[in-house]
Every structure is written in structure tokens, then in C-alpha cells.
């Protein structure tokens, strides 16, 4: 007995010997999405163009407004931030009065928050609540006026401001120069959704569209260059097997050439390798990482579903765990039961069918028409996610935490 214990003791590694020792990442933060790399391959011409537009600020001339668009992950945010940082540095060196503010309207999604964020970046303290939008706007104008220079305001993911009443804010901002005498403002609007250009107030549209920069998707060779450039700072030398970057680039190129997806996937693959104590990152780790990302995205979709869609998905999941084949009719019945249990009015069967189609469209389930002879046709439903994961996501909803 004693012998065995001693033996075990001698051969077992210390629990902590490998913990916190990183063999894969030299610097993982290089691969998180808001990191701005020192070089942006294949965006040289966009960078030069934006620099030419904004450069006039250094000599006291108001740059034209600009509108930048292109699909997600095409480097718009990176380019704007990169050029802004350089401009700000150069302005400091020359002592030119150039101020820059950057807001992301998805994060700061009301007029009030956009304005306070702009104020904050221009070193103007504003309370988080309590003032009217008009008052905040007035204080910003006053502050900018005192600055006596050129202010460049970039509004990223501007589509989030177009949808609601804040469209008014965009209009006000495009007219801000008429409220100023000693300073001038230039605006840069950025969006992942080129259709917003059409939904903008025509006056805003023509004002922002003084210059237009279109960001095309990257192809797989370009993604390769981007990843090679970033991986030298991110990973220790020789950690990536040779086929990893070409593989990640090819996958991301299929997905409309999204550099964010590529960078995320490479980071995740490194994390999977690290977690499994591998010495190198291989395409196998990339495949595992891809599955994890897909599951995460799908679960995020589930948490954002409306209440009844969650109930219907919950019913499908419940049935799925109990039997082989799940069909629409059973789902309708199960869903009605659930509604009764929590005291909710049921939606019509027709609406339930529509929601089932919607769940199929977002990829959480797959449906197939099943011909049942004289019983007519019905839909067979298959879950695309692990039931436990679905429950976890559904139960995040306070109303449904107890089911
Ligand atoms: P967008 O704003 O167009 O959605 P981002 O600028 O946020 O795209 O880019 C997504 C990710 O890809 C970021 O991590 C960014 O640093 C990276 N990225 C995009 N383009 C390049 C590039 N040319 N070189 C290096 N990294 C890039
Ligand atoms: Mg962006």
C-alpha cells in the first residue's frame, strides 16, 4: 500500500508545473480584434487616400467629410484608427491645433452617448445623464469653438444612428460648422452596410459623401499576408505548422474575406493548442476552433431570440432529447404546454411554423419536409447544437430560467 503511494508521488507531475507557462503565444493580445497592428498590408492605398484627405487639417484647412464603407472585417476601423493616431502624433509634433474623436455608434448607441463620448475624447467632461441632448450639443460646440482649430470626428458603425430619432443628430453634426466661427469640424462616417447610404437623409448623405472610400473584401492571398504579418509578434517562432495560415486564410476568404474572422480563428486555434498542451498549432486545432466559434455564434443568436422563439426552440430541444424524430405538430403541442405552464398566451400554429422557419434560417435547427402519405406533409426538425448548450442559452432569459 505504502509502496504504491510513494510510487504515485514520484511519477505524478506537480499540478502547477505547467500552469501559467505559455509555450504558444508570445503575445496573445496582438490577435484580439481591437488591436491596431503597426502595418496593415493591402490597405496602403486606402491609408494614403485617407491621409491625403485629412492631411489638410495640419495646415489649418478643413478636410472634406468622408464616408467609408465595406463588409465587416475589411479593415475600415483599423485604417481610421491607424491614420488618426498618426495624424494626432504629427499634429502634436508641429503644434497644429488638430483634435480627433472616434465613436462607435454600436457601443454608444444613442445621441446622448455619442455626444458625451465625443466630448470625452475632446477632453470635455460631461455628466453621463441629466442634461438634454441639445444642452450637450451646445456645450460641445462651445468647447470646440474655444479650441480654435480643426476637429475630426469619426463615427464608426454609423448605421446604428440612422435607424432611430438620432438621424437628427447626424444632420446636426453635418451642419455644425454653421454654429462655429473659430474652429471647424470634419466628419468621417463608417459603415459595414452600404445600404445605409441610401437610407440616410439626403442632406446628410451628400454632406458625408464629399469623399467616398470603398473597402473591398480580401482574397485568400491577402489574408495570408495579413496573418503572416501578425503572427510573428503573436506566436513564438516555429509554433505554427506550415499549413495553418494558408488554411485559416482559405476559410476566411470563403467567408467574404473577413480579416476579423481570420484573426479570431488563428487566435482560437492557438488557444485550443494551448489548452490541449500541444507543442505546435496544427490545422486540426483550427478545425476545433472553428467548431467552437460556430457554437458560440449560434448560442449568441439563441440568447437574442424573442421570447416565443425561445419557447419554441425549447420545445424542440425537449422533444429532441426524448425521441428520434421531431415533427412540427408535436412542437406546436409541446410549445402550448410550455406557454400554459408559465401563463403565456400561445401564438397561432401558423406563426409557430413561421418561427420554425426562422430558426432554420439562422441555423439553429435544420428542417426537412417529410411526406407522410395520406397524413400529408410535415416537417422533420433536427437540432444543430448540443441540447445542454441550448438550454444554457435559453435559461439566461429571466422568464425562462425555471423551465
Ligand atoms: P472593419 O472595421 O472593416 O469591420 P477591422 O478594421 O475591425 O474591420 O478589421 C478586423 C480585424 O482584422 C482587426 O483585428 C484588424 O486589426 C484586422 N485587419 C483588417 N485589415 C487588416 C490588415 N490589412 N492588416 C492587418 N490586420 C488587419
Ligand atoms: Mg469596424
Amino acid at each position: 500500500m505504502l509502496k504504491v503511494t510513494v510510487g504515485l508521488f514520484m511519477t505524478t507531475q506537480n499540478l502547477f508545473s505547467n500552469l501559467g507557462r505559455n509555450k504558444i503565444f508570445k503575445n496573445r493580445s496582438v490577435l484580439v480584434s481591437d488591436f491596431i497592428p503597426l502595418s496593415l498590408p493591402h490597405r496602403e492605398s486606402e491609408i494614403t487616400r485617407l491621409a491625403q484627405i485629412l492631411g489638410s487639417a495640419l495646415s489649418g484647412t478643413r478636410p472634406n467629410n468622408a464616408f467609408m464603407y465595406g463588409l465587416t472585417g475589411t479593415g475600415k476601423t483599423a485604417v481610421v484608427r491607424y491614420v488618426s493616431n498618426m495624424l494626432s502624433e504629427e499634429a502634436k509634433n508641429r503644434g497644429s491645433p488638430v483634435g480627433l474623436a472616434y465613436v462607435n455608434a454600436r457601443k454608444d448607441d444613442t445621441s446622448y452617448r455619442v455626444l458625451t463620448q465625443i466630448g470625452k475624447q475632446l477632453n470635455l467632461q460631461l455628466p453621463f445623464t441629466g442634461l438634454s441632448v441639445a444642452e450637450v450639443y451646445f456645450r460641445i460646440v462651445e468647447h470646440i469653438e474655444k479650441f480654435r482649430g480643426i476637429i475630426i470626428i469619426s463615427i464608426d458603425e454609423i448605421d446604428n444612428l440612422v435607424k432611430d430619432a438620432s438621424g437628427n443628430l447626424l444632420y446636426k453634426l453635418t451642419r455644425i460648422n454653421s454654429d462655429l466661427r473659430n474652429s471647424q469640424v470634419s466628419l468621417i462616417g463608417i459603415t459595414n452596410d452600404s445600404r445605409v447610404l441610401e437610407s440616410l437623409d439626403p442632406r446628410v448623405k451628400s454632406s458625408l459623401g464629399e469623399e467616398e472610400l470603398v473597402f473591398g473584401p480580401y482574397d485568400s492571398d491577402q489574408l495570408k499576408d495579413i496573418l503572416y504579418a501578425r503572427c510573428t509578434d503573436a506566436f513564438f517562432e516555429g509554433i505554427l505548422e506550415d499549413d495553418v495560415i494558408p488554411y485559416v486564410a482559405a476559410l476566411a476568404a470563403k467567408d467574404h474575406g473577413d480579416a476579423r474572422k481570420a484573426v479570431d480563428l488563428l487566435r482560437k486555434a492557438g488557444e485550443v493548442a494551448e489548452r490541449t498542451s500541444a507543442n505546435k498549432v496544427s490545422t486540426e486545432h483550427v478545425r476545433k476552433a472553428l467548431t467552437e466559434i460556430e457554437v458560440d455564434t449560434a448560442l449568441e443568436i439563441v440568447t437574442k431570440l424573442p421570447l416565443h422563439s425561445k419557447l419554441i426552440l425549447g420545445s424542440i430541444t425537449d422533444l429532441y432529447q426524448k425521441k428520434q424524430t421531431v415533427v412540427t405538430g408535436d412542437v406546436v403541442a409541446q410549445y402550448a404546454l410550455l406557454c400554459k405552464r408559465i401563463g403565456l398566451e400561445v401564438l397561432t400554429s401558423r406563426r409557430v411554423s413561421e418561427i420554425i422557419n426562422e430558426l432554420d434560417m439562422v441555423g439553429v435547427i435544420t428542417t426537412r419536409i417529410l411526406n407522410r402519405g395520406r397524413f400529408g406533409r410535415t416537417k422533420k426538425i433536427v437540432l444543430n447544437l448540443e441540447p445542454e448548450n441550448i438550454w444554457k442559452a435559453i435559461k439566461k432569459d429571466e422568464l425562462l430560467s425555471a423551465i
Side-chain angles (χ1 to χ4, degrees), residues 30-37 39-43 70-79 156-157 190 192 215 218 222 225-227 229-230 258-261 263-264:
V30 170
L31 295 178
V32 300
S33 0
D34 34 6
F35 179 85
I36 305 167
S39 81
L40 295 166
H42 302 292
R43 282 299 174 241
L71 296 172
T72 48
T74 51
K76 301 177 299 297
T77 302
V79 165
D156 206 344
E157 308 201 40
I190 305 150
N192 297 327
F215 285 62
Y218 296 113
Q222 293 175 325
D225 293 339
I226 290 171
L227 293 174
R230 286 180 81 151
D258 184 336
R260 178 179 296 110
K261 285 247 169 83
V263 172
D264 280 349

Side-chain angles (χ1 to χ4, degrees), residues 123-252:
N123 299 319
L124 171 66
Q125 292 306 320
L126 290 159
F128 289 119
T129 52
L131 301 180
S132 67
V133 171
E135 173 65 19
V136 177
Y137 176 81
F138 175 75
R139 289 196 194 180
I140 287 177
V141 168
E142 212 178 39
H143 182 71
I144 292 178
E145 185 68 350
K146 274 192 231 139
F147 180 74
R148 293 181 171 268
I150 308 275
I151 301 280
I152 297 166
I153 300 175
S154 305
I155 307 182
D156 206 344
E157 308 201 40
I158 200 168
D159 29 313
N160 293 283
L161 287 184
V162 177
K163 286 173 207 135
D164 59 21
S166 9
N168 193 14
L169 173 69
L170 289 182
Y171 178 65
K172 267 194 103 91
L173 286 176
T174 55
R175 305 299 309 249
I176 194 169
N177 288 317
S178 59
D179 292 330
L180 295 166
R181 288 157 152 256
N182 301 316
S183 292
Q184 283 192 300
V185 171
S186 294
L187 289 175
I188 304 177
I190 305 150
T191 180
N192 297 327
D193 180 357
S194 59
R195 286 169 308 177
V196 297
L197 202 57
E198 301 319 310
S199 52
L200 282 175
D201 178 327
R203 294 165 301 183
V204 174
K205 183 180 158 186
S206 72
S207 171
L208 278 182
E210 285 174 355
E211 306 279 351
E212 278 186 29
L213 283 84
V214 187
F215 285 62
Y218 296 113
D219 65 26
S220 91
D221 284 336
Q222 293 175 325
L223 289 169
K224 257 192 268 179
D225 293 339
I226 290 171
L227 293 174
Y228 279 124
R230 286 180 81 151
C231 80
T232 45
D233 289 333
F235 294 100
F236 288 114
E237 215 183 312
I239 285 293
L240 298 184
E241 281 182 7
D242 290 346
D243 48 359
V244 165
I245 284 186
Y247 185 53
V248 171
L251 286 171

